[in-house]
Amino acid sequence: MSKLSTVARRLVLGRPFRSDKLSHTLLPKRIALPVFASDALSSTAYAPEEIFLVLSVAGLTAYSMAPWIGLAVAAVMLIVIASYRQNVHAYPSGGGDYEVVTTNLGPTAGLTVASALLVDYVLTVAVSMSSAMSNIGSAVPFINQHKVWFAVVAILLLASLNLRGIRESGTAFAIPTYAFMIGMVVMLGWGFFQIYVLGTPLKAESADFEMHSEHGDILGFALVFLVARAFSSGSAALTGVEAISNGVPAFRKPKSRNAATTLLLLGGISITLFMGIIMLAQATGVQIAERPNEQLVGAPVDYHQRTLIAQLADAVFHDFPLGLFLIALVTALILVLAANTAFNGFPVLGSILAQDRFLPRQLHTRGDRLAFSNGILFLAFGAIAFVVAFQAEVTALIQLYIVGVFVSFTLSQIGMVRHWTRLLRTETDVAARGRMMRARVINTIGFVCTGTVLVIVVVTKFMVGAWIAILAMAALFGIMKLIHRHYASVSRELEARAAETEDIVLPSRNHAIVLVSNLHMPTMRALAYARATRPDLLEAVTVSVDDAETRQLVHKWEHSDISVPLKVIASPYREITRPVLDYVKRVSKDSPRTVVTVFIPEYVVGHWWEQVLHNQSALRLKGRLLFEPNVMVTSVPWQLSSSERLRKLAPQSAPGDARKGFLE
């Protein structure tokens, strides 16, 4: 079993990396762009569609506002990218928004950002995977019919790739991401060329349907609210921008400059694709409805609405059917790989939080391939839970989305404003002051802009699902506070104990107790080892749960050459743990300065089923004895022949592969 698990781990993870090979996992810009930018790039596949979907409530005439809403989203993206370029230069350590906010606004604000980002990373994976299945399902109906399970499998495969290490996963993701960029540029370029140069009219499959408004004419405040909601849904295109600032340590040197350049490239490509898709959708007459069979008059009863990207590809490549499948494939791939941004950002942030004692310290530990394995697994299972709960429906998940990232954006920009203000108080160089003042202006504009968007997002999305994300953030915030309080309490307790060391005296005596169930070689080894420790008092103890067996043991003991006395503890209710605990407590109570050492013989077995066959009294006893003051527990192993194979595999196997059980 152990050998099988070792082989399986090697197949999934590969051979482990040495700790001094960490520098070999750092990324050049050509790999860092697809690794960290795939989230923001992929959002162009669903953010424009969400704008049209929200506007469809007001009917086809409302679609005329889509380009203006797109321009507003693009303007916000430019401002956010300009702001984050200041972040990566000022804080190259990779803490990103968490480090910026904690340093400048305090730990409570920093923890707020951390909880928001952690939730948003989980939702990034869930939304990206769900959208991927919807896009590929537009070309392959079978996948659309089982998209939940396909999304779950894709998340597990992505987690496996990341467990193998960041450099290998980055190389694997570079080709599909670049394929998506090329595919989108070709589709948009060829589409616009046909329409505006060749004069060929292109029509989407839904262009001939008549859009029916669900609520009649929408005017006044209702229309303003609808436009604001469409804008907030389209703002999903901004997700992923912060990933680069959080992942600066993964870049090759000079880290800050490479990260800032990658951020600029990301912004230019994302805005081009985002606006191009919106303009082409209008030119081809695409219509997207939340309930297509009710809102699209003239659509067949069994009409299955394809995604926006699929409808555009079908219209542009009408004479080349393979084009639809290629576009659907590269779109699905980048949406799957978009989750890699979260798989890079979440573990790094989790590691920083663990180092600051807000999360379990296991999240700070690197695995065999130098990746933060525990964080990767936690993210994967969290995303799977959301995918299953919301049946991989993008429209449902998008309502929970982007709240966290705009909380992070807003607080981060406030923190940067305070950062530059603090530095300006002491800086005397004129050129440096000029750069700082310019950066402060950029971050101030970023704060006003992202804060406004945050208010719009919360107001327009709260009742349709955003409250779930806000509740999750609050719960995570509280949990991290409790974890930090526990670690702080342990530190204070240890410090207090250390201050009292001068008052602590050495134990006056060592009272050794060997637990005995039968007179055989494991018991003899335990007695020999106990004698070798030279205790002040040594005795053997057995619990009588069967009178006949106890009498037989006592008879054999008396006729042996063992000089250690055997004490029999009666147990009328056939318990073992409680009588031993009571006896140890009495010994400790009678002599407070005496240390009681309990020696427990244990089998070491090589198969999991052998563990079932041996009594688990040792585990129960050790678990209870650990809570007793002045009591030490020593396991004395006896290796069965089945454990020999594990001993040979010991250099390859993880500690604790061998299984032990208390001898009876």
Side-chain angles (χ1 to χ4, degrees):
M1 178 61 70
S2 174
K3 185 175 182 180
L4 182 61
S5 64
T6 302
V7 172
R9 188 172 63 187
R10 290 292 171 264
L11 286 174
V12 174
L13 301 181
R15 297 188 64 82
F17 285 153
R18 290 166 52 94
S19 296
D20 57 8
K21 298 296 183 182
L22 183 59
S23 60
H24 294 278
T25 67
L26 300 180
L27 305 177
K29 291 192 291 295
R30 68 180 184 278
I31 300 297
L33 177 63
V35 167
F36 289 104
S38 55
D39 180 17
L41 290 175
S42 69
S43 63
T44 60
Y46 54 80
E49 181 173 335
E50 291 301 317
I51 293 176
F52 284 100
L53 190 65
V54 174
L55 292 176
S56 68
V57 175
L60 187 59
T61 55
Y63 276 10
S64 61
M65 292 180 284
W68 300 105
I69 294 173
L71 284 173
V73 172
V76 174
M77 183 180 292
L78 281 174
I79 293 171
V80 169
I81 287 173
S83 300
Y84 270 89
R85 281 172 59 83
Q86 316 309 314
N87 288 38
V88 297
H89 285 300
Y91 291 91
S93 59
D97 295 337
Y98 170 69
E99 181 180 356
V100 171
V101 175
T102 301
T103 303
N104 297 287
L105 302 180
T108 300
L111 204 58
T112 301
V113 165
S115 60
L117 281 175
L118 291 175
V119 171
D120 208 72
Y121 279 137
V122 174
L123 288 169
T124 294
V125 178
V127 170
S128 297
M129 291 302 184
S130 300
S131 184
M133 297 309 114
S134 296
N135 273 276
I136 195 66
S138 295
V140 185
F142 177 78
I143 292 179
N144 189 69
Q145 295 167 7
H146 304 87
K147 62 181 179 180
V148 174
W149 294 111
F150 277 98
V152 169
V153 171
I155 291 172
L156 293 175
L157 289 175
L158 189 61
S160 176
L161 282 173
N162 276 273
L163 288 171
R164 294 186 67 89
I166 189 169
R167 181 178 176 84
E168 287 188 306
S169 63
T171 304
F173 300 156
I175 296 175
T177 304
Y178 284 125
F180 171 78
M181 296 181 200
I182 295 171
M184 288 295 104
V185 169
V186 170
M187 183 185 73
L188 295 174
W190 179 235
F192 288 128
F193 183 80
Q194 291 182 82
I195 294 171
Y196 298 111
V197 178
L198 300 180
T200 304
L202 298 182
K203 277 190 175 183
E205 65 178 26
S206 58
D208 293 328
F209 301 151
E210 182 181 344
M211 178 72 73
H212 170 67
S213 174
E214 290 184 311
H215 307 286
D217 292 334
I218 298 178
L219 301 171
F221 177 78
L223 182 61
V224 172
F225 185 84
L226 185 69
V227 171
R229 185 174 169 188
F231 170 76
S232 65
S233 293
S235 295
L238 276 74
T239 56
V241 171
E242 80 291 344
I244 291 179
S245 68
N246 292 339
V248 176
F251 284 81
R252 286 184 179 174
K253 295 180 179 179
K255 296 178 182 290
S256 295
R257 189 172 69 187
N258 287 338
T261 302
T262 304
L263 192 55
L264 190 61
L265 290 171
L266 161 65
I269 297 170
S270 293
I271 291 173
T272 301
L273 297 183
F274 179 74
M275 291 304 301
I277 290 171
I278 290 177
M279 299 305 296
L280 186 60
Q282 275 215 314
T284 56
V286 172
Q287 299 184 66
I288 303 290
E290 188 172 350
R291 286 181 288 277
N293 298 111
E294 299 176 15
Q295 291 178 254
L296 298 179
V297 180
V301 177
D302 59 346
Y303 174 69
H304 171 69
Q305 181 175 252
R306 291 178 174 178
T307 63
L308 175 61
I309 295 295
Q311 291 195 49
L312 292 179
D314 185 51
V316 171
F317 302 110
H318 54 279
D319 294 329
F320 181 58
L322 185 60
L324 167 63
F325 291 94
L326 291 176
I327 292 297
L329 177 62
V330 296
T331 302
L333 279 176
I334 194 174
L335 282 163
V336 170
L337 302 185
N340 184 63
T341 303
F343 275 103
N344 279 281
F346 184 100
V348 171
L349 179 58
S351 170
I352 294 171
L353 288 167
Q355 194 172 17
D356 291 345
R357 303 191 299 181
F358 286 110
L359 286 177
R361 290 174 181 169
Q362 291 86 342
L363 291 175
H364 185 57
T365 304
R366 293 184 183 270
D368 286 352
R369 305 286 284 188
L370 299 178
F372 295 110
S373 304
N374 293 322
I376 291 170
L377 293 174
F378 188 94
L379 173 61
F381 292 131
I384 288 173
F386 273 104
V387 167
V388 174
F390 288 86
Q391 292 297 293
E393 290 294 336
V394 178
T395 302
L397 285 166
I398 206 78
Q399 310 306 327
L400 286 68
Y401 205 25
I402 75 172
V403 177
V405 78
F406 273 98
V407 169
S408 172
F409 285 168
T410 304
L411 290 177
S412 175
Q413 298 315 303
I414 298 174
M416 287 302 298
V417 171
R418 294 195 64 176
H419 168 79
W420 299 123
T421 301
R422 187 179 66 253
L423 292 183
L424 282 168
R425 294 194 189 107
T426 57
E427 183 60 58
T428 57
D429 183 73
V430 176
R433 286 183 62 85
R435 288 193 298 270
M436 291 178 184
M437 292 178 70
R438 183 172 61 252
R440 185 171 65 172
V441 170
I442 293 173
N443 288 127
T444 301
I445 296 173
F447 155 62
V448 173
C449 186
T450 56
T452 303
V453 176
L454 175 61
V455 173
I456 294 173
V457 169
V458 172
V459 170
T460 59
K461 288 179 173 287
F462 185 82
M463 297 306 297
V464 290
W467 65 269
I468 298 175
I470 295 172
L471 182 63
M473 294 172 202
L476 190 55
F477 179 90
I479 291 171
M480 289 193 290
K481 276 283 191 182
L482 292 174
I483 291 173
H484 188 267
R485 184 181 301 172
H486 168 75
Y487 281 137
S489 175
V490 171
S491 296
R492 287 194 300 270
E493 182 177 339
L494 293 178
E495 290 172 2
R497 294 286 181 89
E500 298 171 0
T501 51
E502 294 181 355
D503 301 326
I504 296 177
V505 296
L506 293 174
S508 60
R509 303 177 69 209
N510 180 12
H511 186 142
I513 298 174
V514 179
L515 298 184
V516 176
S517 61
N518 205 342
L519 186 56
H520 44 29
M521 289 304 297
T523 298
M524 300 299 291
R525 172 180 286 182
L527 288 169
Y529 178 66
R531 280 197 297 266
T533 63
R534 300 183 181 277
D536 296 287
L537 178 62
L538 173 62
E539 61 180 348
V541 172
T542 187
V543 179
S544 177
V545 295
D546 184 284
D547 290 341
E549 291 183 358
T550 302
R551 283 195 296 269
Q552 185 179 6
L553 173 62
V554 171
H555 178 75
K556 292 168 67 175
W557 196 278
E558 290 175 346
H559 289 80
S560 68
D561 57 354
I562 301 174
S563 59
V564 178
L566 176 66
K567 183 181 290 291
V568 178
I569 302 176
S571 180
Y573 296 102
R574 297 163 303 284
E575 290 185 274
I576 295 177
T577 304
R578 173 54 58 186
V580 172
L581 282 173
D582 291 341
Y583 180 72
V584 170
K585 286 179 181 179
R586 286 198 301 271
V587 171
S588 183
K589 184 178 180 181
D590 293 341
S591 303
R593 290 182 56 194
T594 296
V595 168
V596 180
T597 305
V598 181
F599 294 87
I600 305 178
E602 297 183 61
Y603 282 130
V604 180
V605 300
H607 302 95
W608 66 268
W609 52 267
E610 290 180 291
Q611 177 70 10
V612 177
L613 298 178
H614 294 278
N615 197 286
Q616 298 300 300
S617 300
L619 184 61
R620 294 194 298 272
L621 269 172
K622 285 189 284 190
R624 298 293 298 276
L625 288 170
L626 288 174
F627 290 94
E628 298 299 324
N630 298 328
V631 175
M632 309 297 167
V633 183
T634 301
S635 296
V636 183
W638 181 269
Q639 293 82 8
L640 295 179
S641 58
S642 64
S643 67
E644 179 66 19
R645 66 186 190 89
L646 291 183
R647 186 184 64 80
K648 293 178 180 179
L649 290 173
Q652 307 171 25
S653 303
D657 280 337
R659 299 168 178 86
K660 300 184 289 185
F662 178 45
L663 297 180
E664 280 200 345

